[in-house]
């Protein structure tokens, strides 16, 4: 008899098959003497659409809501149905004795496999492979420690409850809003609070009134001192007359009243989880959260040089410490060779700054695997992300940075001034981020954090100063500044805010705030990037440069949605319950009963609302398919005209963002028009036909040839055809209302 292994993706299946010595390949599986390895393509099975629960749901009608199925139906996803039937055929082979679930180790991975087995009607025994990387060693170790499938039944019930609750609330609320206001509106327990955070930040910026503040800077004995208030220690005041008076009265020499020298240590920042990595990649390279996750998936699945990316932990487990030297040797290549080899030769002390079993949930922090790296096989984007992870890994394993800090206090009359400087004694982990270390690209070196600088002349003066010394004051001047509003969200800061949204809670409830922290905030590390893409795709928010702004449609949606659906509290409550289900402490049936009751009250609120919705981005352009006026929207890749009618799928791109630089001001230009009439337009007023631009680039000797330009145009066309709706886009097709 043979064992059937079900992986989540073909690439992982191929790795498992190789380790298990399966060599007989077909289009749908790989077979060996003892094992058959097949795969899903992500989800092959999903919850049925509302239309399959009754004829009354085929037409969108407010009176048919809420839809609360008694028995949930699973359907095969049409686009991947061939693979589903191939997997089902393997499941029911007479020579298959049991099934090994080898999908991603997590809540959603469990759901992928279990729904396939449930839809197929399989009753065969189950075992579970639970691994965090897909190296040969990890796979072999995992198969030598397979666990009974029943150990993960509770995790499956939690995953199923999550999917069903999102369906009940999301589908019902979306249909209710759409029917009530005859506009394509959608909401959900994660995307709506995320949108509300953006609106809250914009309101805060709009209402912010800057206030000027003042301080004093004194230069005495070649040292720069800063005034501080003797009462509260603040280095600034909002009272201009007071600071002017202090300056007038601060005459004569400065008496050094205190000298403190202290040895200090700083330790490396923590290892990356997915959110921290997405935030830094966005800040340093401008990568979207989704793009960073996709790059990580390639490094995990294809190159096998990094561990599982969808993790919310920044720590390792104690049993991993024995593998750290092997991982160091594996990444000892290129710019990392010297440091990684040196660390591998030393004893590694696993301290609680990066090893803590209690702080690891399903998966540990993102670190290199034991697979030897071949940097030359990576794309530029992959090298950048790999570089971030490896440097952080090397830094965590390096000694602390030791430095001497000197703090001085001096007085001029009755006013107190302070100066501070530090001198590095042992570079430690900061060497990993030394500016002299060759980066992926020369331009990136200047952005490397924590650059180690040389000691300044001022530091030498501070090192020799003593209490009671009188210093001649060379100058004393007023410094000015003003308070600034919080910045607009970027993708990096938004994804961080989703992880910790306590600030945006409507109720300042400590228990709920703690729950939000414990459950990881809005969404999960695996879903946040998709939520952000959905908000862009449904035109509820838009990008202006790197900043994220809410659209008029988004503002109106928030005014129509019930308050509790806009706050992170709902997710906190749900996630806490789902975790309890996953640990076997609560029933998924009881949870779903409460969700259905909540949905009924939600639909009742929407039905009884007296609010209205209007399109304020309506244009005079008519859809050539239905004749209705179209809306002008800012898509992620440029401006588009989209028909206001949900039934009409017509849309038209009117301008696209490009990386082409203006020859006048060097800013990025937009490409407008169609066919031969296409031209580049810059905000400075410069205009240039596409043909002229191509000719100019050819004369300048730019590397972009005709093939590059053609590839770029094809990419723009693909982007223009991307879905513009949210996760419920399929549900909006073939509707029976206008």
């Amino acid at each position: 008899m043979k064992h059937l292994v079900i992986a989540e993706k073909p690439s992982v299946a191929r790795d498992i098959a190789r380790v298990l010595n399966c060599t007989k390949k077909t289009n749908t599986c790989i077979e060996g003497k003892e094992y058959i390895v097949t795969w899903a393509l992500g989800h092959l099975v999903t919850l049925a659409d509302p239309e399959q629960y009754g004829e009354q749901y085929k037409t969108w009608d407010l009176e048919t809501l809420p839809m609360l199925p008694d028995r949930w139906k699973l359907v095969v996803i049409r686009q991947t149905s061939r693979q589903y039937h191939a997997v089902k055929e393997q499941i029911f082979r007479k020579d298959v004795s049991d099934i090994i679930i080898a999908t991603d180790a997590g809540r959603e991975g469990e759901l992928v496999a279990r729904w396939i087995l449930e839809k197929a009607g399989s009753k065969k025994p189950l075992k579970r492979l639970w691994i965090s990387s897909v190296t040969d060693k990890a796979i072999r170790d995992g198969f030598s420690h397979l666990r009974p499938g029943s150990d993960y039944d509770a995790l499956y019930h939690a995953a199923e409850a999550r999917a069903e609750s999102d369906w009940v609330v999301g589908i019902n609320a979306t249909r209710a809003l759409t029917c009530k206001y005859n506009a394509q509106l959608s909401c959900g327990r994660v995307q709506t609070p995320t949108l509300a955070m953006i609106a809250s930040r914009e309101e805060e910026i709009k209402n912010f009134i800057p206030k000027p503040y003042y301080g004093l800077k004194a230069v005495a004995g070649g040292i720069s001192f800063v005034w501080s208030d003797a009462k509260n220690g603040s280095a600034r005041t909002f009272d201009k007359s007071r600071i002017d008076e202090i300056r007038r009265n601060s005459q004569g020499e400065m008496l050094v009243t205190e000298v403190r020298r202290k040895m200090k240590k700083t330790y490396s920042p923590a290892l990356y989880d997915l959110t921290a990595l997405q935030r830094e990649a966005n800040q340093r390279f401008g990568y979207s959260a989704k793009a960073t996750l996709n790059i990580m998936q390639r490094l995990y699945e294809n190159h096998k040089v990094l561990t599982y990316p969808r993790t919310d932990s920044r720590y390792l487990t104690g049993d991993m410490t024995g593998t750290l030297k092997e991982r160091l040797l594996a990444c000892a290549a290129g710019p990392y060779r010297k440091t990684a080899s040196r660390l591998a030769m030393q004893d590694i002390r696993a301290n609680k700054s990066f090893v803590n079993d209690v702080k690891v949930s399903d998966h540990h922090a993102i670190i290199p695997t034991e697979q030897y790296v071949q940097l030359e096989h990576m794309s530029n984007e992959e090298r950048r992300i790999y570089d971030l992870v490896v440097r952080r890994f090397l830094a965590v394993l390096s000694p602390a940075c030791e430095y001497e800090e000197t703090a001085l206090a001096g007085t001029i009359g009755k006013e107190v001034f302070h100066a501070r400087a530090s001198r590095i004694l042992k570079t430690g982990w900061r060497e990993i981020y030394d500016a002299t270390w060759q980066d992926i690209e020369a331009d990136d070196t200047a952005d490397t954090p924590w650059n180690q600088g040389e000691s300044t002349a001022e530091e030498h003066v501070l090192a020799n100063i003593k209490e009671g010394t009188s210093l001649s004051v060379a100058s004393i001047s007023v410094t000015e500044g003003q308070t600034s509003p919080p910045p607009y969200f970027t993708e990096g800061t938004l994804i961080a805010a989703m992880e910790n949204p306590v600030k945006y809670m409507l109720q300042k409830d400590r228990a709920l705030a703690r729950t939000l922290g414990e459950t990881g905030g809005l969404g999960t590390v695996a879903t946040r990037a998709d939520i952000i893409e959905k908000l862009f795709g449904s035109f509820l928010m838009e990008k202006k440069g790197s900043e994220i702004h809410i659209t008029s449609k988004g503002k109106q949606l928030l005014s129509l949605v019930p308050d509790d659906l806009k706050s992170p509290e709902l997710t906190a409550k749900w996630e806490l319950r789902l975790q309890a289900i996953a640990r076997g402490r609560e029933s998924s049936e009881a949870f779903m009963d409460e969700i259905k009751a909540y949905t009924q009250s939600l639909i009742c609120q929407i039905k009884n609302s007296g609010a209205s919705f209007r399109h304020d981005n309506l244009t005079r352009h008519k859809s050539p398919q239905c004749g209705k006026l179209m809306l002008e929207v800012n898509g992620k890749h440029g401006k588009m005209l989209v028909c206001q009618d949900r039934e009409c799928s017509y849309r038209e791109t009117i301008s696209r963002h490009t990386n082409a630089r203006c020859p006048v001001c060097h800013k990025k230009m937009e490409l407008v028009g169609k066919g031969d009439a296409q031209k580049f337009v810059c905000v400075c007023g410069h205009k240039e036909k596409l043909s002229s631009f191509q000719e100019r680039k050819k004369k300048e000797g730019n590397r972009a040839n005709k093939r590059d330009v053609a590839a770029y145009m094809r990419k723009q066309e693909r982007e223009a055809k991307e879905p513009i709706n949210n996760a419920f886009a399929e549900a909006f097709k073939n509707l029976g209302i206008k």
Side-chain angles (χ1 to χ4, degrees), residues 413-671:
K414 295 181 180 180
E415 299 301 327
V416 180
F417 291 78
H418 289 93
R420 189 185 303 270
S422 59
R423 181 167 58 94
I424 293 178
L425 303 175
K426 293 183 180 178
T427 311
W429 64 269
R430 289 179 182 261
E431 182 184 353
I432 310 301
Y433 295 98
D434 196 314
T436 59
W437 188 323
Q438 184 65 41
D439 211 330
I440 299 300
E441 291 182 355
D443 291 343
D444 292 337
T445 306
D447 297 328
T448 304
W450 311 300
N451 287 343
Q452 178 191 354
E454 297 295 329
S455 295
T456 63
E458 185 173 292
E459 290 171 3
H460 290 298
V461 174
L462 261 70
N464 297 313
I465 212 84
K466 291 182 173 60
E467 286 185 17
T469 304
S470 290
L471 302 175
S472 176
V473 178
S475 65
I476 184 166
S477 57
V478 175
T479 58
E480 297 185 26
Q482 65 177 17
T483 56
S484 56
Y488 285 97
F489 280 118
T490 64
E491 283 202 50
T493 56
L494 178 59
I495 210 164
M498 291 173 72
E499 185 180 43
N500 186 23
V502 173
K503 176 183 175 182
Y504 302 93
M505 291 172 60
L506 298 177
Q507 307 168 15
K508 301 306 178 184
D509 186 299
R510 289 187 178 182
L512 284 178
R514 185 172 61 253
T515 298
L516 262 179
E518 292 171 352
T519 56
L522 291 172
T524 67
V525 290
T527 60
R528 288 182 191 124
D530 286 330
I531 292 297
I532 291 174
E533 291 297 314
K534 288 174 187 176
L535 290 170
F536 279 126
S538 51
F539 307 114
L540 296 172
M541 65 185 195
E542 62 188 13
K543 265 191 176 182
K544 294 180 180 178
S546 62
E547 297 174 349
I548 294 176
H549 293 252
I550 191 169
T551 62
S552 171
K553 180 181 178 182
K555 289 177 184 177
Q556 289 191 77
L557 174 65
L558 290 177
S559 70
L560 304 176
V561 172
D563 285 343
D564 58 343
L565 200 57
K566 295 185 285 189
S567 176
E569 282 97 327
L570 183 65
T571 282
K573 295 172 183 176
W574 282 26
E575 283 297 332
L576 192 63
R577 302 284 295 279
L578 292 171
Q579 284 191 6
I581 295 170
R583 292 166 182 160
R585 298 174 184 169
E586 188 174 336
S587 162
S588 59
E589 290 81 5
F591 173 72
M592 286 307 302
D593 286 343
E594 292 184 28
I595 292 297
K596 289 178 180 179
Y598 168 74
T599 304
Q600 288 177 322
S601 67
L602 189 67
I603 299 306
C604 184
Q605 289 182 60
I606 294 174
K607 284 182 178 179
N608 296 330
S609 172
S612 60
F613 179 90
R614 61 179 293 272
H615 293 293
D616 61 357
N617 56 341
L618 205 62
T619 69
R620 296 181 179 180
H621 300 279
K622 293 183 178 181
S623 167
Q625 292 182 187
C626 70
K628 292 187 177 180
L629 295 178
M630 295 193 291
L631 311 173
E632 182 179 304
V633 295
N634 289 315
K636 198 171 183 183
H637 308 293
K639 289 184 179 180
M640 288 188 286
L641 294 175
V642 180
C643 184
Q644 62 174 303
D645 193 328
R646 305 190 307 278
E647 286 188 338
C648 181
S649 60
Y650 184 78
R651 62 180 179 164
E652 179 182 328
T653 300
I654 54 178
S655 72
R656 291 186 283 261
H657 303 314
T658 75
N659 289 322
R661 296 283 179 174
C662 173
V664 179
C665 68
H666 303 294
K667 291 182 179 179
K668 291 182 179 180
M669 299 188 291
E670 287 200 336
L671 187 63

Side-chain angles (χ1 to χ4, degrees), residues 316-503:
L316 306 178
T317 56
D319 59 0
M320 295 182 63
T321 55
T323 70
L324 296 182
K325 285 194 176 183
E326 191 173 354
R327 296 172 192 270
L328 283 169
L329 293 173
C331 66
Y336 324 112
R337 180 178 289 109
K338 182 179 177 181
T339 302
S341 299
R342 185 184 73 242
L343 290 172
M345 294 173 64
Q346 302 172 358
D347 290 334
I348 296 175
R349 299 181 64 183
N351 58 62
K352 285 200 170 183
S353 65
F354 67 96
V355 178
N356 192 331
D357 289 23
V358 176
K359 294 188 177 182
V360 178
S361 52
D362 289 342
H363 300 284
H364 55 72
I366 301 169
I367 60 173
T369 65
E370 303 94 333
Q371 181 81 24
Y372 282 91
V373 65
Q374 293 179 296
L375 297 173
E376 64 275 13
H377 291 172
M378 294 182 191
S379 67
N380 185 52
E381 291 79 10
E382 290 166 348
R383 292 227 14 214
R384 281 175 157 174
I385 299 300
Y386 181 75
D387 181 71
L388 290 178
V389 175
V390 173
R391 291 198 190 198
R392 185 60 59 87
F393 178 63
L394 296 177
V396 163
L397 297 180
S398 297
C401 171
E402 300 180 18
Y403 63 98
E404 181 187 59
E405 182 181 81
T406 302
L408 270 63
T411 57
I412 305 176
K414 295 181 180 180
E415 299 301 327
V416 180
F417 291 78
H418 289 93
R420 189 185 303 270
S422 59
R423 181 167 58 94
I424 293 178
L425 303 175
K426 293 183 180 178
T427 311
W429 64 269
R430 289 179 182 261
E431 182 184 353
I432 310 301
Y433 295 98
D434 196 314
T436 59
W437 188 323
Q438 184 65 41
D439 211 330
I440 299 300
E441 291 182 355
D443 291 343
D444 292 337
T445 306
D447 297 328
T448 304
W450 311 300
N451 287 343
Q452 178 191 354
E454 297 295 329
S455 295
T456 63
E458 185 173 292
E459 290 171 3
H460 290 298
V461 174
L462 261 70
N464 297 313
I465 212 84
K466 291 182 173 60
E467 286 185 17
T469 304
S470 290
L471 302 175
S472 176
V473 178
S475 65
I476 184 166
S477 57
V478 175
T479 58
E480 297 185 26
Q482 65 177 17
T483 56
S484 56
Y488 285 97
F489 280 118
T490 64
E491 283 202 50
T493 56
L494 178 59
I495 210 164
M498 291 173 72
E499 185 180 43
N500 186 23
V502 173
K503 176 183 175 182

Side-chain angles (χ1 to χ4, degrees), residues 164-374:
E164 292 171 356
S165 57
D166 278 342
W167 190 101
V168 168
V169 174
I171 292 287
N172 277 290
T174 294
R175 279 203 174 197
L177 288 168
T178 300
C179 294
K180 173 82 174 179
Y181 302 106
N182 194 28
Q184 187 173 309
L185 302 171
S186 67
C187 63
R189 67 171 178 97
V190 176
Q191 70 176 43
T192 310
T194 301
L195 189 66
M197 289 196 303
I198 297 165
S200 174
R201 175 62 61 86
E202 287 203 14
E203 193 66 20
E204 193 177 351
I205 295 170
K206 178 183 176 183
N207 296 329
F208 184 84
I209 301 175
K211 291 176 63 178
Y213 59 82
Y214 310 92
L216 283 175
K217 177 184 177 182
V219 178
I223 303 170
S224 294
F225 288 82
V226 175
W227 168 83
S228 62
D229 194 320
K231 293 181 179 179
N232 56 27
S234 175
R236 66 185 189 182
T237 178
F238 295 102
D239 188 342
K240 179 68 161 61
S241 60
R242 182 190 176 198
I243 209 74
D244 286 337
E245 183 181 354
I246 292 173
R247 182 181 179 278
R248 286 193 301 270
N249 295 334
S250 298
Q251 303 296 329
E253 293 189 331
M254 176 182 289
L255 177 64
V256 177
T257 57
E258 184 181 11
V259 178
R260 287 184 290 111
R261 293 187 176 90
K262 190 174 182 180
M263 304 299 295
K264 289 190 173 184
K265 292 182 179 181
T266 61
Y267 296 90
S268 165
L271 295 167
Y272 287 114
D273 62 6
L274 180 59
T275 299
L277 186 61
Q278 286 171 321
R279 181 174 185 177
E280 186 153 345
N282 178 258
Q283 182 181 2
R284 284 174 59 81
F285 312 124
Y287 295 163
S288 69
K290 185 68 173 177
T292 301
L293 178 56
N294 289 340
I295 295 167
M296 282 296 301
Q297 281 294 129
R298 296 199 297 271
L299 291 167
Y300 165 66
E301 292 178 14
N302 301 340
H303 298 283
K304 305 179 193 57
V305 293
L306 295 182
T307 54
Y308 188 68
R310 290 179 170 90
T311 176
D312 59 359
S313 175
R314 304 188 72 172
Y315 293 85
L316 306 178
T317 56
D319 59 0
M320 295 182 63
T321 55
T323 70
L324 296 182
K325 285 194 176 183
E326 191 173 354
R327 296 172 192 270
L328 283 169
L329 293 173
C331 66
Y336 324 112
R337 180 178 289 109
K338 182 179 177 181
T339 302
S341 299
R342 185 184 73 242
L343 290 172
M345 294 173 64
Q346 302 172 358
D347 290 334
I348 296 175
R349 299 181 64 183
N351 58 62
K352 285 200 170 183
S353 65
F354 67 96
V355 178
N356 192 331
D357 289 23
V358 176
K359 294 188 177 182
V360 178
S361 52
D362 289 342
H363 300 284
H364 55 72
I366 301 169
I367 60 173
T369 65
E370 303 94 333
Q371 181 81 24
Y372 282 91
V373 65
Q374 293 179 296

